[in-house]
Amino acid sequence: MQYPPALARLIAEFARYPGIGPKTAERLAFFTLGRQKPEVDAFAQALAQAVERLHPCVACGALAEHDLCPVCVSPKRDRSRICVVERQRDVYVFERSGVFDGLYHVLGGVISPLDGIGPEELRVSELIERVRPGEVHEVILASTPSTEGETTGLFLAQTLASLPVTVTRIAYGVPLGSDLEFADPATLARALEARRPLKV
Amino acid sequence: MQYPPALARLIAEFARYPGIGPKTAERLAFFTLGRQKPEVDAFAQALAQAVERLHPCVACGALAEHDLCPVCVSPKRDRSRICVVERQRDVYVFERSGVFDGLYHVLGGVISPLDGIGPEELRVSELIERVRPGEVHEVILASTPSTEGETTGLFLAQTLASLPVTVTRIAYGVPLGSDLEFADPATLARALEARRPLKV
């Protein structure tokens, strides 16, 4: 015996998501069956509408429902600084923290020759076009710490060198609130390398 | 700044599921946005159709797309034995294992006076009606081990006492393949209590 077809299909659909194994998929499917029909219809509609309505912001590449994303249209943002991130979702890591009030630029990845990803595959020329008019004074690279991220940073610094803009990179080091004991050697090395004088 | 509305809504919908926190919901929403539209539409349709099409089997209460569930319509099942489970999903625990070829009966819970759940709230009268014709020789209670499960078992045994049927309960004991060291005292007590003579 198997699941009734409609149930089998729902379980299979949940199981397509990363991190959701067969047992979790079954649990989510049964939870679905215990919900009211309007609630489930709302979920189904949210799925369909999300892929329909969301597309990359024409300026920064972040998620937008209109031509421009909420950050790019906001009159409150500092237009002189652009934070370059790898993926669309990285924008929300910064937004949630509330520590950055400039604009973003989603690269769409990092330079990785082994994976056949060069600058042409990324939104590099779009970044240059945004920086060229001279309004942007600083480009902050916030890629995930990795060799590819470093390469990408160096490439951007070289590419933007002829323009009147400073290219910086977020600091890597020991995270706040964590115990030194848990820091991996690479992070410790970076933290040591980037040490600063204590001013008295 | 917030998420674009369509994204915020999708994340909120994922977060309604048990075991899915805000971070996982965001991850699932972004994964959705990276999928092809036909794939996401298929998921949306599977959700809507599952709640539309699935309802309790008129005989046993398990999930069915037609009047009767796949087990109840199968000519291969032993109709003399009924395994009583608490929830619809428990049926699949047995079905997956392939160790039972009789029929099921979904009670819809266990007797729990503290929660205001008496026999009237459960599918007890339906079980009596299935047993009354005399074709069923054994009713096997497979509720989750708990005081309420015991109470329910005793109640069913009393209720069915006047009918020519044996009421049994699945054995509780030390699970196969686990180390004795990890057995909790209550399970050990049950395992000891239900010890059997070794035949030579």
Side-chain angles (χ1 to χ4, degrees), chain A residues 6 9 26 49 65 96, chain B residues 1 6 9 26 49 65 96:
Chain A
R9 200 175 143 210
E26 191 191 88
Q49 287 186 350
E65 285 196 35
R96 264 198 302 274
Chain B
M1 182 246 171
R9 200 176 143 208
E26 192 191 86
Q49 287 186 350
E65 285 195 35
R96 265 198 302 274

Side-chain angles (χ1 to χ4, degrees), chain B residues 7-44:
Chain B
L7 176 59
R9 200 176 143 208
L10 184 58
I11 294 174
E13 288 292 347
F14 272 117
R16 284 185 217 285
Y17 278 77
I20 296 188
K23 282 210 170 180
T24 304
E26 192 191 86
R27 191 167 55 75
L28 297 174
F30 274 101
F31 180 81
T32 304
L33 296 177
R35 303 180 75 191
Q36 298 296 314
K37 189 166 175 352
E39 288 179 8
V40 178
D41 288 343
F43 181 23

Side-chain angles (χ1 to χ4, degrees), chain A residues 13-24:
Chain A
E13 288 292 346
F14 272 116
R16 285 185 216 285
Y17 279 76
I20 295 188
K23 281 209 170 179
T24 305

